[in-house]
Amino acid sequence: MSTTPPPPSLTKETPPDTGEPTVQDGAFGWLRALGPRGRRAFGGAFGGYGLDSYDYFTLPLSMVALAAYFGLDSGQTGLFTTVTLIVSAIGGAVAGVVADRIGRVRALMITVVTYALFTVACGFAPNYETLLVFRALQGLGFGGEWAVGAILVAEYASPRHRGRTLGAVQSAWAVGWGLAVVVYTLVFQFLGDDLAWRVMFWTGALPALLVVWVRRRVQDAPGATAVREKSADKGRFTAIFQRGTAGAPGLLRTTCFAVLLSTGVQGGYYTLATWVPTYLKSERGLSVVGTGGYLTFLISGAFLGYLTGGHLTDRLGRKRNILLFAVLSAACILTYANIPSGANTLLLVLGFPLGFCMSAIFSGFGSFLSELYPAAVRGTGQGFTYNTGRAVGAVFPTTVGFLADSWGVGGALVFGAIGYALAAVALLGLPETRGKELL
């Protein structure tokens, strides 16, 4: 066995625990610990994911107006989400391979430009079929952005803070969602529905400004990049499906269970993200402003959930955090969907814990998936598992759309709880990775 130490440039030294406060302590110790380059990477990933969220929610928020404009039923509107998420699996898998081959930053810019371009194109769609195609193509960029951005930041973060650092990146989703609700409320208040939905999509051009900054200021983590560049398996898609041998454990088992985990969590999440705005307007009878107010509680809970879940995933471990919030999310869905008619105050109050739980479960994803794969195929593995799960999970909101005609949207939302049960089962086949170095 070789006793030669690894090159100093590729190691991360953990200072001894002297009991004295360090730069990594305190509420924002995780941010200081990233260093200047890591903080710029965090800014790029946070901005990219926030604007990714904004562009995604232009559709669910405009769903009622779109259905009226094109004369669509619930099944057809649910198909918008399905094609977006299915194509995102392709985009995510491709983006992961690209990130392993040409670098995280360049892949991040490609994904942001792609989702921005096709979101704007949606605003010019003359008919349902064209809009469906543009929305599907938007999924190419939408699918790749999170995986690439999460890996970029994960490779800068220390094991001690990786969960909360990636949880903070995840919180950008709530920020983008909130921004979309604000713009939706203003646009639909002052413009007629037939024009308002187009304007919502046109505002999706905002990410172009981020790309200019990322291109000039952000770069890949040097240590992880050096390791990745030396590997013969760099960006090799088949590597994540290799069976293990006596001398070298393969990645097939990890990939299968990671896909199941991602399917369950995202099936539950996108059921809610897609159908709650429609549920509030069509079954609870809320106005545009009223819907925005109720979503504010949901989104506020989501933002705090991302941050809290990131902290807990470092404290409890990746698996325990996901299991805890899978159980709580399923319970929240069942409660929220069965609130009696007329109890809209209770609906308002329960929106906060619903948003909190269904978002806190995601906080560990960036760190957990990054830690499951070696540097050479980290982008490939994370991009494939996260986005394949997203694509399979797309069956959930579509199923809700078809069930809504007979069960009502509220009753059909219960279907999302099944996803969280799948996530809990998937954890049985995955290892705990808290504290793992990413080299």
Side-chain angles (χ1 to χ4, degrees):
M1 178 184 295
S2 172
T3 58
T4 304
S9 61
L10 300 184
T11 61
K12 294 182 182 179
E13 301 213 357
T14 302
D17 186 1
T18 62
E20 297 295 325
T22 70
V23 72
Q24 295 192 26
D25 291 324
F28 293 98
W30 60 268
L31 187 60
R32 291 191 296 270
L34 286 171
R37 288 182 178 180
R39 286 193 288 273
R40 289 195 294 271
F42 175 85
F46 187 96
Y49 197 48
L51 292 169
D52 195 4
S53 170
Y54 178 90
D55 280 13
Y56 173 80
F57 279 105
T58 54
L59 176 66
L61 291 168
S62 304
M63 196 85 88
V64 174
L66 284 170
Y69 186 86
F70 291 117
L72 309 177
D73 59 30
S74 296
Q76 289 174 305
T77 52
L79 193 58
F80 280 125
T81 298
T82 300
V83 298
T84 303
L85 300 184
I86 289 175
V87 176
S88 76
I90 301 172
V94 171
V97 172
V98 170
D100 285 336
R101 292 188 177 182
I102 70 171
R104 314 321 191 191
V105 172
R106 283 190 280 180
L108 179 66
M109 291 190 293
I110 291 170
T111 61
V112 172
V113 168
T114 301
Y115 74 65
L117 175 64
F118 287 108
T119 298
V120 173
C122 287
F124 294 98
N127 51 50
Y128 170 71
E129 292 76 16
T130 303
L131 180 58
L132 195 63
V133 171
F134 285 154
R135 186 64 179 182
L137 293 173
Q138 187 257 9
L140 290 174
F142 170 71
E145 193 285 331
W146 178 83
V148 175
I151 294 167
L152 172 66
V153 177
E155 291 177 339
Y156 275 106
S158 67
R160 177 181 173 187
H161 294 305
R162 190 174 296 123
R164 69 200 75 180
T165 303
L166 271 296
V169 173
Q170 292 275 179
S171 73
W173 184 265
V175 174
W177 188 3
L179 178 61
V181 170
V182 170
V183 174
Y184 155 79
T185 303
L186 293 173
V187 169
F188 276 81
Q189 276 289 101
F190 295 106
L191 298 175
D193 285 5
D194 289 354
L195 176 61
W197 70 264
R198 294 187 184 276
V199 173
M200 280 294 294
F201 283 121
W202 292 337
T203 61
L206 289 171
L209 300 175
L210 175 71
V211 171
V212 175
W213 181 81
V214 169
R215 185 174 182 275
R216 297 182 61 183
R217 302 286 293 167
V218 183
Q219 62 188 101
D220 292 352
T225 300
V227 173
R228 174 173 53 83
E229 289 293 336
K230 292 178 180 179
S231 175
D233 285 334
K234 180 178 67 174
R236 190 161 64 87
F237 190 71
T238 55
I240 65 172
F241 297 102
Q242 287 183 344
R243 293 180 179 274
T245 63
L251 293 171
L252 177 61
R253 176 188 172 90
T254 294
T255 298
C256 290
F257 279 100
V259 166
L260 182 61
L261 175 66
S262 184
T263 296
V265 172
Q266 296 192 86
Y269 180 86
Y270 283 108
T271 294
L272 294 168
T274 301
W275 287 106
V276 164
T278 299
Y279 171 63
L280 293 175
K281 290 188 72 173
S282 65
E283 295 198 10
R284 308 303 297 207
L286 300 181
S287 64
V288 168
V289 174
T291 298
Y294 276 68
L295 289 176
T296 298
F297 271 74
L298 189 69
I299 294 166
S300 298
F303 180 75
L304 292 177
Y306 285 126
L307 297 179
T308 303
H311 181 77
L312 289 178
T313 199
D314 282 334
R315 291 251 177 182
L316 302 177
R318 310 327 187 200
K319 294 174 65 174
R320 287 182 180 178
N321 182 72
I322 291 172
L323 178 60
L324 171 65
F325 287 106
V327 173
L328 292 178
S329 295
C332 284
I333 291 179
L334 295 174
T335 304
Y336 195 79
N338 288 284
I339 294 173
S341 178
N344 283 354
T345 300
L346 182 58
L347 190 76
L348 176 69
V349 172
L350 286 180
F352 186 89
L354 177 66
F356 183 93
C357 293
M358 74 184 203
S359 299
I361 195 172
F362 272 106
S363 294
F365 259 59
S367 52
F368 194 30
L369 294 181
S370 293
E371 291 160 355
L372 288 173
Y373 291 93
V377 292
R378 186 166 294 134
T380 304
Q382 184 158 332
F384 175 80
T385 56
Y386 186 82
N387 289 288
T388 299
R390 179 186 271 167
V392 179
V395 172
F396 286 72
T398 301
T399 302
V400 169
F402 285 107
L403 291 177
D405 291 332
S406 55
W407 292 13
V409 176
L413 282 175
V414 174
F415 190 75
I418 297 173
Y420 293 111
L422 289 178
V425 171
L427 292 172
L428 298 174
L430 294 170
E432 176 57 56
T433 59
R434 180 176 55 169
K436 182 176 180 180
E437 292 281 2
L438 292 188
L439 290 178

